[in-house]
Amino acid sequence: MSAHYRAIDAHIHLDHYEDADRVPMLQRAFEAGIEAVIAVSMHLASCKENEGLAKQFPGKVHPAYGFHPEQPILSEEEQVQLFAWIREKHAEGESFAVGEVGLPYYSRTAAEADGVPFDEETYLVLLDRFAALAAELDRPIVLHAVYEDGAKACEIMERHQVKRVHFHWFKGDAATVERMIRSGYYISITPDVAYEDEIRELVERYPLEQMMVETDGPWPFEGPYEGRPTEPQFVHDVCAQIAAIKQLPEQIVREQLLHNTREFYKL
């Protein structure tokens, strides 16, 4: 892909790449026209690692601090520590988003399928706390909330009037999609737009002005990406796919997606 195209990977787990691979991968991405990446966190240790990467690549790696919901819930003490640390970064004037946070759709449905009790309430309460924090600090929030969890997340975001809401790799019903559009929430599209009808239909329905592109790397993809390690420059392909689906000139689509991400994350 020619480096004269610019793009931003709006969602990547940078800290999940092997230490030895990470810097060369980022250098390749920057050379290939990737302007910046949004590095989302899993928990406090992950937040600290992403803070370090943001300092190593100023203006290129933009961190998001939070707790990924597809893991055992944090204890009250761990929550207090994490929120205190995020507030400290805010007080220091650091640039960051809140994320990745959300609801444990995959863990919950797996537990239900196995007949194992699952306490979703604790995750709803934690997401409520993150939404309140994002609203208070005026930070963007990055959400993991798919299928029926999308509506639950919308309710929480609306309750706290969070201004900048980003549903990453969203999948869900038409009513929730309409609600997200009306609320001005953003989505980001992954490389599986090349082969997943569900994602292609979402691209058709969602306004380009509320869209970004992401890899969710190092998550592996199928289709044309089978057997290839996921790298940020995959988003160049995603831009081209969106343009084809929307039947719009590729350059205009690329510029709009780039503009959306810069504005949303204040890059």
Side-chain angles (χ1 to χ4, degrees):
M1 177 58 66
S2 169
H4 70 265
Y5 284 134
R6 315 290 300 164
I8 294 168
D9 184 347
H11 190 102
I12 186 170
H13 293 269
L14 211 47
D15 61 316
H16 283 194
Y17 286 86
E18 293 294 332
D19 289 354
D21 299 337
R22 194 185 295 119
V23 171
M25 179 192 75
L26 283 171
Q27 284 166 342
R28 282 194 300 275
F30 300 147
E31 281 163 18
I34 298 302
E35 200 170 272
V37 300
I38 308 298
V40 295
S41 302
M42 295 291 291
H43 40 58
L44 184 53
S46 175
C47 291
K48 289 175 177 175
E49 193 164 352
N50 282 323
E51 182 194 25
L53 290 167
K55 285 179 173 160
Q56 195 179 342
F57 298 96
K60 299 268 193 192
V61 172
H62 185 77
Y65 301 139
F67 173 78
H68 195 294
E70 301 286 355
Q71 54 188 335
I73 196 73
L74 291 173
S75 69
E76 185 57 36
E77 188 185 339
E78 288 167 327
Q79 290 188 35
V80 168
Q81 275 184 332
L82 176 58
F83 279 77
W85 188 85
I86 294 173
R87 286 181 182 283
E88 196 180 293
K89 298 301 122 189
H90 179 76
E92 288 168 9
E94 204 181 289
S95 178
F96 65 88
V98 172
E100 174 174 0
V101 299
L103 297 170
Y105 175 82
Y106 300 106
S107 307
R108 175 175 61 78
T109 53
E112 286 164 3
D114 292 339
V116 177
F118 189 90
D119 181 14
E120 185 189 32
E121 188 56 33
T122 53
Y123 291 89
L124 288 162
V125 169
L126 181 55
L127 180 55
D128 194 86
R129 287 180 76 169
F130 276 121
L133 183 74
E136 179 198 334
L137 305 184
D138 189 23
R139 300 284 180 164
I141 194 165
V142 189
L143 293 176
H144 168 101
V146 294
Y147 301 113
E148 64 265 26
D149 289 354
K152 300 169 197 170
C154 282
E155 200 173 295
I156 292 170
M157 296 306 120
E158 289 160 9
R159 186 186 316 144
H160 292 284
Q161 297 178 311
V162 184
K163 290 192 188 77
R164 288 180 285 157
V165 176
H166 171 192
F167 280 83
H168 106 92
W169 204 340
F170 182 74
K171 300 169 264 287
D173 62 81
T176 305
V177 168
E178 289 307 317
R179 181 178 187 176
M180 287 160 56
I181 293 168
R182 280 198 310 274
S183 298
Y185 300 159
Y186 282 58
I187 59 168
S188 51
I189 304 300
T190 43
D192 67 345
V193 69
Y195 55 88
E196 283 284 356
D197 289 344
E198 186 177 27
I199 303 298
R200 295 176 72 82
E201 284 161 19
L202 180 63
V203 169
E204 278 177 29
R205 187 178 292 151
Y206 223 85
L208 180 63
E209 296 71 25
Q210 287 165 247
M211 209 179 275
M212 298 183 271
V213 290
E214 62 154 303
T215 60
D216 200 23
W219 186 270
F221 291 92
E222 296 162 26
Y225 309 101
E226 190 75 53
R228 290 169 60 191
T230 298
E231 300 208 1
Q233 56 268 39
F234 282 16
V235 298
H236 284 311
D237 294 355
V238 181
C239 295
Q241 290 282 348
I242 292 169
I245 293 165
K246 292 279 195 195
Q247 299 182 326
L248 291 167
E250 195 175 316
Q251 191 59 40
I252 286 169
V253 168
R254 288 177 177 281
E255 284 167 8
Q256 183 69 55
L257 292 164
L258 184 60
H259 169 80
N260 295 347
T261 316
R262 283 176 181 159
E263 288 293 302
F264 184 92
Y265 282 105
K266 297 189 175 169
L267 300 175

